Amino acid sequence: MSVEVMPGLILRDEDLRVTYILASGPGGQNVNKVATAAQLRFDAAGSPVLSERVRTRLLEIAGSRATRDGEIVLTGRRFRTQQRNREDVIERLAVMIREAAHRQAFRVPTRPGKAARQRRMDGKSHRAGIKRNRKVRLDD
């Protein structure tokens, strides 16, 4: 089974390693007996499906969840079942990859027009005039 992150980018099951660990939280005594938390490991540095730009950005987004070797480790323990925790960590990884693949729109910096600059200067001189008229003048 493979996961389609976005059109043209599919993660195979061989790329994802999911192990199960003991979890804390809801579940009563069952939580002490069954390993329901899912821990996903994805080798971002060695993944052939990611471009260099996406790989770099993904490791940047992952932050402390990335190891020195370029492997991303996500742990899911929100749910009581292994299957739902597994789906949760896979979806979280897919969201991170989508965010890394998103290109920011190039913004061309603009400058204020001549009329806007003139309005600003008129407003400043108007306020200066008001403040000038507040001064107490002592005529000799």
Side-chain angles (χ1 to χ4, degrees):
M1 184 180 129
S2 56
V3 180
E4 184 172 3
V5 176
M6 52 194 292
L9 185 63
I10 297 173
L11 295 177
R12 300 169 308 182
D13 269 353
E14 300 87 56
D15 299 334
L16 308 174
R17 288 195 328 267
V18 180
T19 55
Y20 299 99
I21 55 177
L22 289 176
S24 61
Q29 291 181 354
N30 191 50
V31 82
N32 300 326
K33 296 186 272 183
V34 182
T36 55
Q39 188 175 60
L40 176 127
R41 291 181 170 271
F42 174 66
D43 185 16
S47 177
V49 296
L50 299 178
S51 68
E52 190 59 38
R53 183 187 67 79
V54 173
R55 179 178 297 121
T56 308
R57 181 98 171 92
L58 178 62
L59 290 172
E60 188 180 299
I61 290 170
S64 64
R65 293 171 290 204
T67 64
R68 286 192 183 129
D69 300 330
E71 191 173 55
I72 296 175
V73 180
L74 297 175
T75 304
R77 54 172 59 107
R78 287 196 305 175
F79 302 104
R80 290 186 182 201
T81 63
Q82 283 184 348
Q83 183 61 32
R84 296 217 21 221
N85 282 326
R86 181 181 196 280
E87 292 167 0
D88 179 46
V89 291
I90 291 172
E91 181 56 33
R92 284 175 30 211
L93 176 66
V95 167
M96 284 173 60
I97 294 173
R98 277 187 220 112
E99 185 180 339
H102 178 73
R103 285 186 186 264
Q104 290 289 340
F106 182 72
R107 182 188 174 276
V108 178
T110 58
R111 296 173 58 190
K114 189 174 183 179
R117 288 195 302 264
Q118 186 60 47
R119 280 193 305 271
R120 179 174 163 266
M121 287 296 142
D122 291 345
K124 286 171 78 75
S125 52
H126 178 73
R127 293 296 307 163
I130 291 172
K131 292 180 178 186
R132 202 176 316 114
N133 291 335
R134 288 183 191 155
K135 286 185 179 179
V136 178
R137 292 195 188 111
L138 298 173
D139 292 337
D140 292 328

